[in-house]
Amino acid sequence: MKANQPWQQLATNSARIVARLDTDTDTDTDTDTDTALGLSGKGSLRGPHTAHMVIWLLTLLCAVSFVPTTLAEESAPSLADRYETIMQESDPLDGFIPLYWHAQTGKLYAQLSDFKSPFIYYASLAQGVGSNDLGLDRGQLGDTFLVQFERVGPKVLLVALNTRYRANSDNAAERRAVEEAFAQSVLWGFALSGESQGKVLVDITDFALSDAVQLGNRLAAMQEGAFRVSAERSFINPARTKAFPDNTEIDALVTYTGQAEGPYLPTVSPSDTSVTVHIHHSFVRLPEPGYEPLPYDPRAGFINGGQAFMDYAAPLGKPVKRAYAWRHRLEKRTRCGHE
């Protein structure tokens, strides 16, 4: 509970006045007392009961100053109460990451319970800008991350793991050394909106409405103007927001505002100051264990170098830089055309 500084100052001044009233009785002291209290003339406080009046006023003012804070703290709903309220008022979407759409406020909540379990996250343009010259076409994928949710006190972080630097080793000390040597990226931080029985709810709305595909930066790099997301003109698209057993999909209509300065944007957008696209967020469960990566062979040519990374657990005399070939996970399920 925080005390208000003006009341603290009043308490200090009043205590001094009471002490002086108890010891001083001359007229000059009474005048000083009136001045300290901000009173003069006919409103002056003088007499044997002045000290008691000051104490009474001080007690009353202090009580009034603390009452609103106390009531606010007592009336604030708990995380468990907020959890139940959101669950009751929202439309559920059960799946890999369960979602709850709160239509009254236009907010989307995610229910989390499995922390520090990696999964795949990427964003894409479900509806693009429409100019080949800009390269912001419908269906274009953004960066793909290996991420995990991590809870830290009253917050939940979405952390992108660093897969470019690894230690493919059974030695925990080697793996920890590499993890501590290279940076990770916290993509977003969420405050808890509710909690009950080991499950938490976080408001994922602002994250879904962010510039996850870096469209603003790409327009600026092509000298098409400075555009930023306008929260007032952006919202979750519930019709295309779904949850499935192995993936959860969030679709958002995102509007960027600014002033077009280049030659391309005005030819595809109705307004020079507003560009609206759909950004799609995909959260995908990792496949089951058993996949055998294929080392990249430069004779493959068109595969373009494969997925390169640095393996600091490589044996002495072996290259630290390694790469896996890009390929589908194909598993034989029939023999000679029969099950």
Side-chain angles (χ1 to χ4, degrees):
M1 182 183 301
K2 275 189 175 179
N4 202 330
Q5 290 184 356
W7 301 129
Q8 291 178 333
Q9 186 62 41
L10 176 61
T12 302
N13 292 339
S14 299
R16 293 174 180 172
I17 292 167
V18 170
R20 294 178 64 180
L21 285 171
D22 288 339
T23 56
D24 299 336
T25 56
D26 56 39
T27 304
D28 294 337
T29 301
D30 290 341
T31 303
D32 294 340
T33 301
D34 295 339
T35 303
L37 285 172
L39 301 173
S40 59
K42 296 181 179 180
S44 300
L45 291 176
R46 297 184 183 180
H49 301 295
T50 302
H52 299 288
M53 292 176 64
V54 171
I55 294 174
W56 181 83
L57 288 173
L58 174 61
T59 304
L60 177 62
L61 291 172
C62 288
V64 171
S65 68
F66 283 109
V67 166
T69 303
T70 304
L71 291 177
E73 290 179 351
E74 291 179 352
S75 61
S78 65
L79 284 174
D81 292 337
R82 291 161 59 188
Y83 183 95
E84 294 301 326
T85 299
I86 293 172
M87 295 286 283
Q88 293 172 4
E89 297 179 351
S90 303
D91 298 325
L93 298 170
D94 193 22
F96 172 53
I97 297 178
L99 301 176
Y100 292 87
W101 167 244
H102 196 276
Q104 295 178 358
T105 59
K107 292 184 177 296
L108 185 68
Y109 297 91
Q111 184 189 70
L112 307 175
S113 59
D114 192 9
F115 298 100
K116 292 193 174 181
S117 294
F119 59 92
I120 298 170
Y121 164 73
Y122 63 90
S124 59
L125 278 174
Q127 294 183 21
V129 177
S131 171
N132 289 333
D133 299 291
L134 293 176
L136 298 169
D137 301 322
R138 173 177 63 92
Q140 185 177 96
L141 297 180
D143 293 331
T144 300
F145 299 97
L146 184 67
V147 301
Q148 63 187 23
F149 287 110
E150 297 182 7
R151 180 172 179 177
V152 183
K155 282 190 175 183
V156 173
L157 305 179
L158 180 62
V159 180
L161 306 179
N162 196 331
T163 59
R164 298 176 183 175
Y165 302 93
R166 317 178 191 176
N168 291 338
S169 170
D170 295 331
N171 189 319
E174 288 184 336
R175 297 195 303 270
R176 185 175 65 252
V178 174
E179 290 173 0
E180 295 176 352
F182 297 96
Q184 296 179 337
S185 296
V186 176
L187 301 183
W188 205 264
F190 307 90
L192 297 186
S193 298
E195 181 176 13
S196 178
Q197 298 180 352
K199 298 180 180 180
V200 301
L201 288 175
V202 297
D203 184 354
I204 205 169
T205 310
D206 290 343
F207 171 74
L209 300 182
S210 66
D211 187 8
V213 295
Q214 300 297 311
L215 186 145
N217 290 340
R218 295 171 68 176
L219 289 177
M222 298 192 68
Q223 299 182 349
E224 289 291 321
F227 284 82
R228 293 180 174 84
V229 173
S230 172
E232 294 78 11
R233 309 186 200 182
S234 306
F235 59 86
I236 300 293
N237 180 14
R240 298 187 63 179
T241 297
K242 309 288 184 181
F244 305 96
D246 291 326
N247 59 297
T248 293
E249 309 292 330
I250 299 175
D251 195 86
L253 182 147
V254 182
T255 299
Y256 297 77
T257 56
Q259 179 59 57
E261 300 175 357
Y264 303 120
L265 196 57
T267 65
V268 291
S269 178
S271 170
D272 291 350
T273 60
S274 175
V275 181
T276 301
V277 298
H278 280 252
I279 296 179
H280 198 85
H281 304 263
S282 297
F283 304 85
V284 184
R285 188 193 305 273
L286 288 177
E288 296 295 329
Y291 175 77
E292 292 294 335
L294 180 66
Y296 171 70
D297 190 321
R299 292 173 294 182
F302 69 93
I303 299 182
N304 193 29
Q307 297 173 296
F309 62 93
M310 306 295 287
D311 182 6
Y312 287 96
L316 293 176
K318 298 291 184 180
V320 175
K321 185 175 182 180
R322 301 178 59 188
Y324 292 139
W326 298 95
R327 71 185 186 96
H328 294 286
R329 181 175 183 172
L330 301 177
E331 297 179 358
K332 188 174 182 179
R333 304 197 55 180
T334 64
R335 178 177 297 179
C336 299
H338 301 284
E339 290 291 340

